Amino acid sequence: MTHLPSWNDTVTRQKIVDFVESVSSGPDAVPVEERIAVFDNDGTLWSEKPVIIQLDYIIGQWAAELKRDPSLAERQPYRAVATGDLGWLGAAVEKHYAGDDSDLKVLLGALVGLTDGMPVAEYAASVAEFFRTATHPTLGTPFSGAVYQPMRELLRYLEHHGFSCYIVSGGERDFMRSITQEYYGIPPERVIGSAYGLTYDAEARTVRYSANLDYLDDGHIKPVRIWSRTGRRPLLAAGNANGDLPMLQFAVGDGTARRGLALLVHHDDHSGRGDTPYDKGAEQALAADDITVISVADDWSQVFPAQGEG
């Protein structure tokens, strides 16, 4: 139990340990350079309830826009921010997971408008200020305290056995890059996420964002982005939602190569220790074959870091 102290001694934990040991030692060991592990972020490495953390940042940016131009409140997503009815935002994401992107397109249109023409360093400074001052809406801690302690331990355990760990998230890449080294020990070059378009300003000698989303890193795009970045099929993958299913199945493989391990974090704990329990948006992944489900209720003895350890 030394390496994964916040995990209960369950079948799930033993399956992870057995797999990692089988690919890192003995006659069937996989070369170190092939030991790639990929992790979704929201709901897999840190809390996504009651609101996705990046969305909390974005809401603050839209609120500032509303102060400058109140007429924006006549349309979504600004109307949701102006009225405090943030359910529309969450519903847009849930509709996306159900295959309906109509509201997501509206949300993304307003999203890219926030950074259009902005130098990348200016955006990084804005995000850094957010993480310096903001607190989680229900935990009341800095967002470092919203990281799932068992998953952080899993990252260290994998690294100890020669794995290179990547974050592969629908969240925006540069937003995550600002904290992944501090929160997870994962450097920015191992962060794969949705990305705003970029352009080079030769006169100012800087990179700026453009008025478009280069790609949304979700669903079937995740395996494509993993391959384009690493040139390898991951040996282990972890997610929590339907949008992670292609990535999880990519890790398991098609039977022609070594089978990888796919993990699905299931938020099923009604004790109040973690995120509000939910299955919505994860139904397909929960029903899929060849995926090992991590029960927050049964497999984790602790969810978040002890106070002062975030």
Side-chain angles (χ1 to χ4, degrees):
M1 301 293 286
T2 304
H3 296 293
L4 300 170
S6 296
W7 292 72
N8 291 321
D9 189 10
T10 61
V11 171
T12 300
R13 179 189 179 278
Q14 192 59 50
K15 186 170 184 177
I16 294 171
V17 170
D18 289 346
F19 176 81
V20 172
E21 290 184 351
S22 73
V23 299
S24 60
S25 62
D28 296 325
V30 175
V32 170
E33 60 270 19
E34 296 180 17
R35 297 179 204 168
I36 302 294
V38 294
F39 290 78
D40 173 58
N41 189 37
D42 297 306
T44 301
L45 292 180
W46 70 2
S47 172
E48 68 172 352
K49 300 292 183 181
V51 64
I52 294 173
I53 291 173
Q54 184 172 0
L55 190 55
D56 195 31
Y57 166 79
I58 292 167
I59 289 169
Q61 300 300 302
W62 282 336
E65 283 197 318
L66 278 165
K67 286 185 178 180
R68 294 190 292 268
D69 183 4
S71 69
L72 290 172
E74 297 174 5
R75 56 188 173 90
Q76 294 287 19
Y78 301 100
R79 184 185 304 135
V81 177
T83 61
D85 180 18
L86 301 180
W88 182 89
L89 302 175
V93 175
E94 290 179 355
K95 286 173 68 175
H96 162 69
Y97 285 133
D100 180 356
D101 284 346
S102 55
D103 286 347
L104 185 68
K105 290 178 179 178
V106 174
L107 192 154
L108 291 176
L111 182 61
V112 297
L114 289 173
T115 55
D116 183 18
M118 182 183 293
V120 290
E122 183 179 329
Y123 177 62
S126 173
V127 173
E129 177 64 13
F130 168 76
F131 280 108
R132 189 184 68 81
T133 60
T135 57
H136 189 276
T138 56
L139 297 174
T141 66
F143 283 113
S144 58
V147 172
Y148 302 137
Q149 181 65 20
M151 297 304 283
R152 184 152 54 187
E153 292 168 3
L154 179 57
L155 291 171
R156 300 290 82 77
Y157 177 66
L158 291 171
E159 290 170 354
H160 178 74
H161 286 82
F163 278 77
S164 295
C165 298
Y166 289 74
I167 292 177
V168 185
S169 175
E172 197 275 315
R173 176 194 60 207
D174 291 347
F175 180 85
M176 294 185 289
R177 279 175 167 174
S178 66
I179 49 83
T180 57
Q181 184 72 62
E182 177 186 354
Y183 286 16
Y184 307 128
I186 295 179
E189 62 268 23
R190 290 190 190 161
V191 177
I192 303 170
S194 299
Y196 300 131
L198 296 170
T199 185
Y200 182 62
D201 182 341
E203 183 177 351
R205 300 185 181 183
T206 190
V207 175
R208 297 181 184 275
Y209 294 104
S210 58
N212 67 286
L213 188 72
D214 197 4
Y215 54 85
L216 179 63
D217 188 43
D218 197 33
H220 291 87
I221 300 300
K222 285 196 171 189
V224 172
R225 300 309 305 177
I226 292 167
W227 182 263
S228 67
R229 180 68 66 85
T230 70
R232 300 186 185 278
R233 183 190 296 271
L235 202 55
L236 181 148
N240 75 299
N242 295 335
D244 300 315
L245 186 54
M247 175 177 76
L248 300 179
Q249 293 173 330
F250 185 45
V252 171
D254 59 2
T256 62
R258 174 184 289 275
R259 290 172 59 86
L261 179 64
L263 304 172
L264 185 80
V265 177
H266 184 204
H267 293 278
D268 59 350
D269 192 330
H270 293 263
S271 70
R273 297 185 309 153
D275 286 17
T276 303
Y278 63 91
D279 290 350
K280 191 172 185 180
E283 303 93 339
Q284 297 171 26
L286 286 167
D289 296 330
D290 301 326
I291 291 177
T292 298
V293 175
I294 298 170
S295 165
V296 172
D298 298 334
D299 294 319
W300 291 355
S301 61
Q302 176 181 340
V303 177
F304 298 115
Q307 195 167 6
E309 294 181 1

